[in-house]
Amino acid sequence: MSEIRLLRDAVAQLIHDGDIVAFEGFTHLIPFAAAHEVIRQGITDLTLVRMTPDVIYDQLIGAGLVKKLVFSWGGNPGVGSLHRFRDAVENGWPRPLEIDEHSHAGMANRYVAGASGLPFAVLRGYRGTDLVERTNTVSTIACPFTGEELAAVAALNPDVTVIHAQQADRDGNVQLWGLTGVQKEAALAAKRVLVTVEEIVDRLTLRPGGVVLPSWVVTAVAEVPGGAHPSYATGYSIRDNDFYQAWDRISRDRQTFTGWVDDHILRTEEASAR
Amino acid sequence: MSDWTNDELMTVSAARALSAARTCFVGIGLPSTAANLARRTSRPDLVLIYESGALGSKPTRLPLSIGDGELAETADAVVSVPEMFNYWLQGGRIDVGFLGAAQLDRHANINTTVVDRGPGRPEGRLPGAGGAPEIAANCGEVLIVLRHSTRNFVDRLDFTTSVGHGAGNGDRRRLGLRGRGPVAVITDLGILRPAPDTAELVLTDLHPGVTVEQARAATGWPLKTADAVGVTAPPTDAELAALRGLKAA
């Protein structure tokens, strides 16, 4: 059964130096507040997994906490580059960043395999591309029925998956809705699951198309209203597109970035520590 | 509204290229602008599919990201990302994939991963693959929209992220790629299409006032031309009004 905790306690308890951590949420419901708590606690040497690193991983990478990144699309959606990601890959600042790079279909299927208890997943993909040259987590397999050659991608099983959802009830059952991305698979592939929620309610009302994670597959829940900002939570907030555009300027320069982290993450109280 | 730019004609031409499509897998940026323009002009019933999980989105304004809330709120259905890639894209349900590129070669192969910046300098990092490799592999056909310059239209890709026609005609079949691959590359100078016998991109159309020499000068390989190079029709008043309305919204 999941426990309802303060965010800082849940992060300290679940995420450790050297862990493989997936903070998922495909543009929607990105768990920014939990990542900021990781930065405040200085949890480091992380292997971070995420289809779209987005601004959330740009911040963790720039803060020097990330050893390796497993991903499929590393841009600022609709804006341009992730400058901290680029600086780490190109110049090793603030530390070298090892990368394991896939396509979206490959990453999605790696989570599916992880959630399914399988060592790998099969898909039509990667053939003819140079992606296969740069990773040891893609191979090929012959179909046992037709002999056709298909791509095989290694399962992903994070130590911890962190997601943001709209609601949990007092027993720690969680529901998210809207664009639900790959969160169900990422959560069920992980050893531990931390969910931040907009709101804790007495009873969950089931939503069409909603994803429910029962309490017994969730390790901890923390109530963090606005915890997905500048991403958003359908029904509670809208995407702060202006912030994504402003991030281009904030992140372009190392000093501006560091100053921003000091002012907006390190010197702020965690939202749920009230 | 007689004044228009080649950039506008590029987007209008890309929207026109969707005139026979029922379903379109849309990337953000120019492809999204063109697909949304098609819905407002020649193809009001065009089904827009965004990789974030939205099937049949009807946005009232151009989204900044593929995950903007309006895409889900106006969709016919919202599905998970694994379902999107496995059932809908890999399952062969989508007619047209619409892609951009950082580098494109003569066989319409695409690089969006890294660029070589010369000896002694680290590779320049681009966002990476995203959904493009499987869009290029599995959609019924692929349209590419890209501004024309020698920086983008290169003799050799620094990295192959997504396969167009591989090394030439027959390569897609050899690789087991099930869609037809790129059928047109629409630029701000004109339109390139793969030659039927070699699958090499040749110039088939020029925008009004653009010369073959200009297109050749903006292409990093010796660009061949079709036997008869056509001229793109200028944007109609309705097309221009719809495009400008979209951009202003």
Side-chain angles (χ1 to χ4, degrees), chain A residues 72 74 90 101 104 130 134 232, chain B residues 67 86 90 123 125 127 130 160:
Chain A
S72 43
E90 293 177 5
E101 181 165 7
H104 278 350
D130 289 335
R134 297 203 180 192
Y232 68 105
Chain B
N86 287 347
Q90 186 173 259
E123 282 179 330
R125 183 65 229 191
T160 302

Side-chain angles (χ1 to χ4, degrees), chain A residues 26-27 51 72-74 78 86 90 99 101 103-105 109 123-125 127-130 134 178-179 181 232 239 241, chain B residues 51 64-69 80-81 86 90 113 117 122-125 127 129-131 134 159-161 163 175 178:
Chain A
F26 203 89
T27 307
M51 293 182 64
S72 43
W73 192 81
R86 282 191 64 170
E90 293 177 5
I99 59 178
E101 181 165 7
S103 67
H104 278 350
N109 279 289
L123 72 153
R124 295 178 185 281
R127 286 195 74 178
T129 77
D130 289 335
R134 297 203 180 192
L179 295 170
Y232 68 105
R239 192 173 188 266
N241 282 338
Chain B
E51 67 190 10
L64 180 69
S65 80
I66 46 97
D68 280 21
S80 75
V81 167
N86 287 347
Q90 186 173 259
T113 302
R117 293 189 297 191
E123 282 179 330
R125 183 65 229 191
E134 285 77 24
F159 187 97
T160 302
T161 312
V163 178
L175 291 167
R178 299 201 294 181

Side-chain angles (χ1 to χ4, degrees), chain A residues 191-265:
Chain A
K191 299 183 182 81
R192 302 185 289 280
V193 177
L194 168 58
V195 185
T196 56
V197 296
E198 289 292 323
E199 183 177 20
I200 291 178
V201 296
D202 290 328
R203 274 185 80 83
L204 292 179
T205 306
L206 296 187
R207 306 259 173 173
V211 168
V212 172
L213 293 172
S215 177
W216 45 274
V217 298
V218 176
T219 319
V221 171
E223 188 176 28
V224 190
H229 180 267
S231 169
Y232 68 105
T234 292
Y236 289 82
S237 58
I238 59 168
R239 192 173 188 266
D240 188 350
N241 282 338
D242 291 344
F243 181 87
Y244 274 89
Q245 278 165 330
W247 185 251
D248 190 67
R249 182 191 53 76
I250 296 165
S251 62
R252 198 174 279 271
D253 173 74
R254 291 174 183 174
Q255 260 188 317
T256 313
F257 164 79
T258 307
W260 187 91
V261 170
D262 284 347
D263 292 346
H264 294 87
I265 299 178

Side-chain angles (χ1 to χ4, degrees), chain B residues 55-90:
Chain B
L55 291 169
S57 293
K58 295 164 272 293
T60 56
R61 48 177 297 219
L62 282 180
L64 180 69
S65 80
I66 46 97
D68 280 21
E70 201 189 9
L71 297 178
E73 286 151 20
T74 62
D76 298 328
V78 175
V79 302
S80 75
V81 167
E83 178 178 329
M84 177 60 79
F85 282 97
N86 287 347
Y87 299 173
W88 298 91
L89 182 57
Q90 186 173 259

Side-chain angles (χ1 to χ4, degrees), chain A residues 40-200:
Chain A
R40 277 190 291 271
Q41 295 187 18
I43 304 169
T44 191
D45 298 333
L46 299 171
T47 292
L48 292 185
V49 184
R50 204 179 134 73
M51 293 182 64
T52 59
D54 202 278
V55 167
I56 186 176
Y57 280 8
D58 217 33
Q59 294 173 350
L60 288 158
I61 290 166
L65 305 174
V66 188
K67 178 179 69 178
K68 180 175 176 181
L69 176 68
V70 182
F71 75 107
S72 43
W73 192 81
N76 180 346
V79 178
S81 291
L82 290 177
H83 298 293
R84 295 299 95 225
F85 158 67
R86 282 191 64 170
D87 202 10
V89 172
E90 293 177 5
N91 309 309
W93 192 92
R95 64 188 285 182
L97 181 67
E98 193 187 332
I99 59 178
D100 183 18
E101 181 165 7
H102 281 264
S103 67
H104 278 350
M107 282 292 284
N109 279 289
R110 295 187 69 191
Y111 281 125
V112 169
S116 307
L118 289 169
F120 66 91
V122 173
L123 72 153
R124 295 178 185 281
Y126 295 93
R127 286 195 74 178
T129 77
D130 289 335
L131 290 161
V132 291
E133 309 294 327
R134 297 203 180 192
T135 173
N136 56 14
T137 48
V138 176
S139 188
T140 56
I141 188 164
C143 169
F145 305 105
T146 64
E148 185 183 359
E149 186 184 294
L150 298 163
V153 288
L156 275 168
N157 289 104
D159 294 310
V160 192
T161 286
V162 183
I163 62 172
H164 186 76
Q166 281 95 343
Q167 293 178 345
D169 66 18
R170 296 188 193 286
D171 294 327
N173 298 296
V174 167
Q175 184 173 220
L176 53 146
W177 64 87
L179 295 170
T180 54
V182 74
Q183 285 98 307
K184 181 196 274 186
E185 291 76 12
L188 293 176
K191 299 183 182 81
R192 302 185 289 280
V193 177
L194 168 58
V195 185
T196 56
V197 296
E198 289 292 323
E199 183 177 20
I200 291 178

Side-chain angles (χ1 to χ4, degrees), chain B residues 1 4 58 153 167 189 211 220 245:
Chain B
M1 257 196 277
W4 44 269
K58 295 164 272 293
F153 288 73
L189 300 182
T211 64

